Amino acid sequence: MLNGGLILQGIMWKLCPFTGTRHPALLVYMVLEMFIHSVNGLNVCMSGSASSCEECFLIHPSCAWCAQEDFGQARTLTARCDFSQNLLKRGCDAPFIENPRSGSSLLLSKPLSSKGSGVTQYDVIQIYPQKISLSLRPGDQISFEVQVRPVEDYPVDLYYLMDLSLSMKDDLDTIRNLGTKLAEEMRKLTSNFRLGFGSFVDKNISPFSYTAPKYQDNPCNGYKLFPNCVPTFGFRHLLSLTDKVDRFNEEVQKQMVSRNRDAPEGGFDAILQAAVCKEKIGWRKEAYHLLVFATDDVPHLALDGKLGGLVHPHDGQCHLNDKNEYSASTKMDYPSLALLGEKLAENNIFLIFAVTKRHYVLYKNLTALIPGTTVEILDQDSKNIIQLIVNAYNNIRSKVELSVWDHPEDLSLAFTATCQDGQPLTGLRKCADLKIGDTVSFNITVDARGCPPKGTKKSFSIRPVGFKDRLEVSVDYRCDCSCTYHTDPNSSRCNSAGTYSCGTCRCEPGYLGARCECQEGEVDYQHLSACREAEGKQVCSGRGECSCNQCLCYESEFGKIYGTFCECDDFSCARHKGTLCSGHGECHCGECKCHAGYIGDNCNCSTETASCVSDDGKICSGRGSCVCGRCQCAEPGAFGDTCEKCPTCPDACGTKRECIECRLFNTGRLADNQTCQRMCKDEIMTVETLKTDAPNTVQCVYKTENDCVMKFTYSEHANGQSVLTALKEPECAVAPNAMTVLLAVVGSILLMGIVLLALWKLVITVHDRREFSRFQSARSRARYEMASNPVYKQSIPSHPMETVFHMHSSKSCNGGVH
């Protein structure tokens, strides 16, 4: 319930973050706060046993103190600390109630700019506001909004830092005309572009380089493949940033490769010098700073220098001599990742790792440790370097991420990002996939966890990573009570044995009581009941002694015992893994008061959701919920840190389809906004024939824009890696030839005609044969009947001619006589 009050309070102050008109919100807040604590049954202010106005403020941001002299004469000292409404009801006049509130005010608020170069180049504003002041009461949260807009056509400084070890010889040949081509491409993005150049190899000491006398002038001596090269060096600054790109080409033409002994290079030495030697490199204040680091091998890290006897850690300073060479290369160790990240951020430099494919994973892991860093895959001969730089620049310009500088330890900051889609994302401090000119906003909630020494003022700044612009925030603390300015030492109201302040007496040693009327050791048995919480309860809860009608609590090795009846302490709260309130809260009278960003009985549950946001910007990929900073997947079959893996989910094929389209064919939704590489990290294999009989494999099919069919499978390996196997090309049906179709139709018709004629002929033939057979059978029966019928008698003709005719006819019918 206490946490609910804090959340409500934060909502109330968000109503008017930069104005002083908060009285209506304050009234509503007070009423609701009283309701919350009356329902809970615990008055947190009175249970804290505050003996002074300042102690009252530290108990809870809702607590107020009554400084009226004649208030609560019949009550204990802690009765002066209560909610404002309670104090008013109990007779404390409003002018005597001390209850400071947190507030904020704008100090500098220039409007955001829309264009970077031109006559307004040095007045570009990319963050709003620029200065604010906060007055914080401990535990009282206050919120303010920050807007960021990356402007169009902002100046760009690009320093090209190249590995000149022997393995980079073919890369050196490739970039000899890089300056002109790169300038042409970058001027499509900005009208104000400058280019610089530097190179590195490694420390010229053993075991990193060849140090024998015969190798001093030519470390390639005796190397048959390439017998001549320049002596090994740490870092050389060769060309300060300039808009004359021909100078870059000329400087590159002069360079020769060198040779070192071990595989790792001394590139981090070079990066740090390029970052901190601002005057010699020529970094402009009003420009984007891009540092391109091109190499084909891994870097040396801090402590590697001990192998060569270098025990002094890097000091983070510039050490370029008159020849623009790194003079401390053989005197100090390599810089650490923390130092490197600090100096890059301090000088607003975006580092672009341009590395070969076999080292991509290593440098990708380094980007998580160095803010404002990206990594791109470099071809073996650096032929893709221009497109690589352009892609990296576009990627950098499409993101805005806030960083906090000089963060006071006693302040908690919570971020909520509102990106281009207008949806607030709690716990996030960055936005991606932006277009130039897009404005994004961040709501920042600040909470002071305690009070520093009186009069302390602190400050911090908020900067978008890689921007020169910043928001400066000054902080003062509302921990003091105005009534303390009327303190009266040795006051008669304290029987001249104490100091009167804010309605109470602070007694001299040896004196006790509300008005210092008692001395230590005196026992008044008639008033022991005033030291019992209720009839039948122990005096002072068994953890103190009753003296002068009030309890004096015992000391404890575990912590502080306090309260009117010594009923409270700061060590009996819930623990998590042995830590009181999980280390994320304070224990007050048996209840954990959680710091901002944590909830729960023992404050072990984080409200941060950044770890639950998947690459597509959704909480738990839209398949679950974020509980205590971890995803709990609700969709059957979903798993992974952000529930991003789910072969059996209905949308699995659709999600992976977009990655197939952008990775293999550079088409689809993800190809347009350049998020393919960020969102599609699965391994994609292409095959001629797709196998679908593997276990735990889902087959996906979709129709392309050309009415072709694309097939791929999606599976999860036991090691947690997602694998997509796709056909090299979509399956497309070939359109039939018109003449072939015509001939096929005509041929089919002819064939059917012939078949029908054959069938008709067959039927007629069968019918004729059947009829002929019947005729033959009838004729045979006729002959039999004439030959054997006794009734039949041949007729005798009556005329001779009839006889002749009859004989002739008989011969004809019988076939004649032979």
Side-chain angles (χ1 to χ4, degrees):
M1 189 62 73
L2 186 59
N3 291 328
L6 289 173
I7 295 171
L8 174 63
Q9 179 183 354
I11 296 174
M12 290 296 107
W13 294 134
K14 289 179 184 178
L15 295 176
C16 304
F18 290 121
T19 66
T21 58
R22 293 180 177 149
H23 300 294
L26 179 59
L27 182 59
V28 173
Y29 167 69
M30 287 180 175
V31 174
L32 291 177
E33 190 72 87
M34 284 180 58
F35 173 74
I36 288 172
H37 289 283
S38 64
V39 171
N40 190 42
L42 172 66
N43 188 320
V44 66
C45 301
M46 296 181 67
S47 67
S49 187
S51 60
S52 68
C53 183
E54 286 78 8
E55 288 182 10
C56 180
F57 290 171
L58 292 175
I59 293 175
H60 192 269
S62 305
C63 297
W65 178 267
C66 179
Q68 189 172 324
E69 181 180 356
D70 58 354
F71 177 77
Q73 289 292 326
R75 299 182 62 86
T76 59
L77 295 176
T78 55
R80 291 181 178 273
C81 185
D82 203 344
F83 301 116
S84 295
Q85 292 297 101
N86 288 351
L87 293 175
L88 288 171
K89 288 180 179 180
R90 288 168 45 214
C92 185
D93 296 335
F96 293 98
I97 295 179
E98 298 278 348
N99 189 21
R101 312 308 310 169
S102 297
S104 62
S105 58
L106 283 172
L107 302 180
L108 184 62
S109 55
K110 295 181 180 179
L112 294 169
S113 305
S114 58
K115 192 173 179 64
S117 297
V119 294
T120 61
Q121 172 181 340
Y122 300 104
D123 297 320
V124 173
I125 304 297
Q126 299 182 96
I127 189 171
Y128 175 90
Q130 295 81 46
K131 285 185 180 181
I132 65 171
S133 175
L134 302 179
S135 295
L136 299 179
R137 176 176 170 174
D140 189 9
Q141 297 179 350
I142 189 168
S143 298
F144 57 91
E145 187 175 275
V146 176
Q147 294 181 341
V148 180
R149 179 193 296 163
V151 299
E152 179 185 358
D153 194 24
Y154 199 68
V156 176
D157 288 347
L158 189 149
Y159 192 79
Y160 192 86
L161 187 56
M162 185 175 181
D163 179 0
L164 283 188
S165 59
L166 189 58
S167 58
M168 294 286 285
K169 180 180 181 301
D170 53 347
D171 301 74
L172 181 61
D173 296 334
T174 302
I175 70 162
R176 295 200 183 274
N177 295 314
L178 172 66
T180 304
K181 297 177 182 177
L182 181 58
E184 290 175 358
E185 291 298 322
M186 290 299 295
R187 281 176 182 143
K188 296 176 183 178
L189 306 173
T190 176
S191 60
N192 195 336
F193 175 68
R194 299 200 312 175
L195 188 62
F197 181 60
S199 61
F200 67 90
V201 181
D202 206 346
K203 297 181 182 295
N204 192 17
I205 58 174
S206 181
F208 311 119
S209 299
Y210 294 94
T211 57
K214 68 175 182 178
Y215 296 121
Q216 288 300 312
D217 296 328
N218 180 16
C220 296
N221 186 9
Y223 186 63
K224 295 181 180 179
L225 297 178
F226 194 78
N228 296 307
C229 56
V230 298
T232 307
F233 60 92
F235 164 65
R236 284 178 183 163
H237 168 53
L238 301 169
L239 177 66
S240 298
L241 291 163
T242 177
D243 56 2
K244 298 178 175 59
V245 295
D246 291 340
R247 289 280 315 281
F248 181 92
N249 297 338
E250 292 172 4
E251 200 61 48
V252 174
Q253 296 287 344
K254 300 175 185 177
Q255 302 310 309
M256 292 181 62
V257 294
S258 183
R259 187 187 182 197
N260 59 321
R261 171 174 284 176
D262 60 348
E265 318 291 7
F268 279 8
D269 269 341
I271 291 175
L272 192 136
Q273 293 304 298
V276 299
C277 299
K278 296 182 288 188
E279 291 76 14
K280 291 197 174 186
I281 301 298
W283 297 115
R284 293 177 291 180
K285 184 178 180 182
E286 307 289 338
Y288 275 113
H289 302 157
L290 305 183
L291 178 58
V292 179
F293 178 79
T295 184
D296 64 346
D297 224 315
V298 298
H300 275 298
L301 302 175
L303 301 182
D304 286 357
K306 289 190 175 183
L307 296 173
L310 303 180
V311 296
H312 294 289
H314 205 291
D315 60 5
Q317 302 299 316
C318 176
H319 293 281
L320 291 185
N321 58 23
D322 296 338
K323 297 180 180 179
N324 284 331
E325 293 187 357
Y326 177 39
S327 58
S329 176
T330 58
K331 299 176 182 178
M332 289 188 296
D333 194 7
Y334 299 96
S336 65
L337 291 175
L339 179 62
L340 205 60
E342 176 187 341
K343 294 303 178 182
L344 289 170
E346 184 180 302
N347 295 283
N348 304 319
I349 295 175
F350 288 107
L351 177 61
I352 303 172
F353 287 126
V355 299
T356 51
K357 187 174 183 179
R358 67 192 182 102
H359 297 303
Y360 175 82
V361 174
L362 169 67
Y363 283 92
K364 184 65 176 178
N365 292 335
L366 293 180
T367 62
L369 304 174
I370 307 177
T373 306
T374 59
V375 58
E376 300 286 342
I377 296 178
L378 182 70
D379 287 349
Q380 289 294 336
D381 57 358
S382 296
K383 63 183 179 181
N384 67 329
I385 187 64
I386 293 178
Q387 189 58 44
L388 181 152
I389 293 173
V390 172
N391 290 343
Y393 174 74
N394 287 330
N395 185 34
I396 290 170
R397 292 283 277 160
S398 68
K399 293 188 296 187
V400 169
E401 180 177 1
L402 297 186
S403 61
V404 181
W405 287 76
D406 302 322
H407 185 181
E409 293 182 358
D410 60 345
L411 295 183
S412 294
L413 272 68
F415 291 81
T416 298
T418 303
C419 303
Q420 63 272 29
D421 59 359
Q423 297 297 321
L425 300 172
T426 304
L428 288 187
R429 60 172 73 182
K430 69 177 179 179
C431 291
D433 302 332
L434 302 179
K435 296 179 181 178
I436 300 301
D438 283 350
T439 302
V440 295
S441 62
F442 301 88
N443 186 276
I444 304 172
T445 301
V446 184
D447 176 20
R449 292 196 292 266
C451 284
K454 189 173 182 178
T456 299
K457 289 189 176 181
K458 297 185 179 182
S459 63
F460 62 94
S461 62
I462 296 174
R463 297 195 312 192
V465 175
F467 289 53
K468 72 166 185 67
D469 306 74
R470 70 182 66 192
L471 166 62
E472 296 179 358
V473 183
S474 59
V475 181
D476 64 78
Y477 295 81
R478 306 291 301 273
C479 296
D480 299 329
C481 301
S482 59
C483 57
T484 56
Y485 297 109
H486 306 288
T487 299
D488 182 14
N490 298 319
S491 173
S492 60
R493 288 174 288 190
C494 301
N495 294 296
S496 300
T499 300
Y500 179 80
S501 176
C502 295
T504 62
C505 289
R506 292 199 300 271
C507 300
E508 299 290 340
Y511 290 87
L512 301 172
R515 291 290 178 256
C516 306
E517 67 274 19
C518 298
Q519 288 185 310
E520 291 183 2
E522 294 181 355
V523 179
D524 187 353
Y525 293 100
Q526 297 179 358
H527 296 91
L528 283 178
S529 60
C531 296
R532 289 189 176 95
E533 190 172 3
E535 189 67 29
K537 292 287 186 72
Q538 287 183 296
V539 174
C540 299
S541 303
R543 304 201 295 181
E545 295 181 356
C546 183
S547 178
C548 209
N549 301 333
Q550 60 181 336
C551 288
L552 298 178
C553 302
Y554 296 138
E555 292 184 355
S556 172
E557 60 182 293
F558 301 107
K560 178 183 177 182
I561 300 175
Y562 58 92
T564 305
F565 309 103
C566 302
E567 74 278 11
C568 294
D569 59 58
D570 60 2
F571 53 81
S572 296
C573 292
R575 297 172 182 264
H576 179 66
K577 295 183 178 179
T579 303
L580 191 68
C581 298
S582 304
H584 302 305
E586 308 294 336
C587 181
H588 288 279
C589 203
E591 184 177 354
C592 286
K593 282 180 54 181
C594 300
H595 297 158
Y598 292 91
I599 58 174
D601 292 339
N602 54 11
C603 304
N604 68 323
C605 187
S606 172
T607 60
E608 183 77 18
T609 60
S611 58
C612 295
V613 178
S614 55
D615 288 334
D616 58 3
K618 296 180 181 178
I619 299 294
C620 299
S621 305
R623 298 171 179 147
S625 57
C626 189
V627 179
C628 295
R630 300 186 66 180
C631 281
Q632 290 187 356
C633 303
E635 185 79 21
F639 63 100
D641 292 338
T642 58
C643 304
E644 74 281 5
K645 299 178 180 181
C646 185
T648 60
C649 288
D651 61 341
C653 285
T655 302
K656 301 303 179 182
R657 167 188 173 175
E658 294 179 341
C659 293
I660 294 290
E661 288 178 334
C662 74
R663 288 273 297 275
L664 296 185
F665 309 110
N666 196 28
T667 59
R669 180 179 65 87
L670 300 183
D672 297 334
N673 55 20
Q674 299 177 354
T675 58
C676 184
Q677 185 173 351
R678 177 175 61 84
M679 294 184 62
C680 301
K681 301 175 182 177
D682 300 334
E683 179 184 356
I684 298 180
M685 303 171 58
T686 56
V687 296
E688 297 288 348
T689 303
L690 200 62
K691 296 181 179 179
T692 60
D693 55 351
N696 301 323
T697 297
V698 177
Q699 183 177 8
C700 303
V701 180
Y702 69 90
K703 196 173 184 180
T704 67
E705 297 176 354
N706 300 326
D707 290 333
C708 297
V709 175
M710 184 62 191
K711 298 179 180 179
F712 65 94
T713 60
Y714 168 34
S715 62
E716 295 287 344
H717 281 187
N719 59 6
Q721 183 181 21
S722 301
V723 178
L724 301 177
T725 305
L727 295 175
K728 287 185 176 180
E729 297 292 338
E731 295 179 350
C732 299
V734 180
N737 183 275
M739 183 58 70
T740 304
V741 173
L742 179 61
L743 293 176
V745 172
V746 173
S748 299
I749 294 172
L750 290 175
L751 180 60
M752 289 179 64
I754 293 172
V755 171
L756 290 174
L757 286 173
L759 290 174
W760 178 80
K761 181 63 177 174
L762 179 62
V763 171
I764 295 300
T765 301
V766 172
H767 180 270
D768 288 350
R769 288 184 178 179
R770 186 175 297 168
E771 290 299 320
F772 180 73
S773 177
R774 289 177 181 174
F775 170 74
Q776 289 283 54
S777 177
R779 182 180 177 186
S780 298
R781 286 197 300 271
R783 286 180 180 176
Y784 170 77
E785 290 174 354
M786 287 189 296
S788 61
N789 190 352
V791 181
Y792 176 76
K793 185 177 182 180
Q794 186 174 356
S795 61
I796 300 173
S798 58
H799 192 280
M801 289 301 295
E802 290 180 2
T803 304
V804 174
F805 177 77
H806 177 74
M807 293 176 62
H808 177 74
S809 299
S810 298
K811 290 180 180 179
S812 298
C813 292
N814 293 320
V817 178
H818 297 281

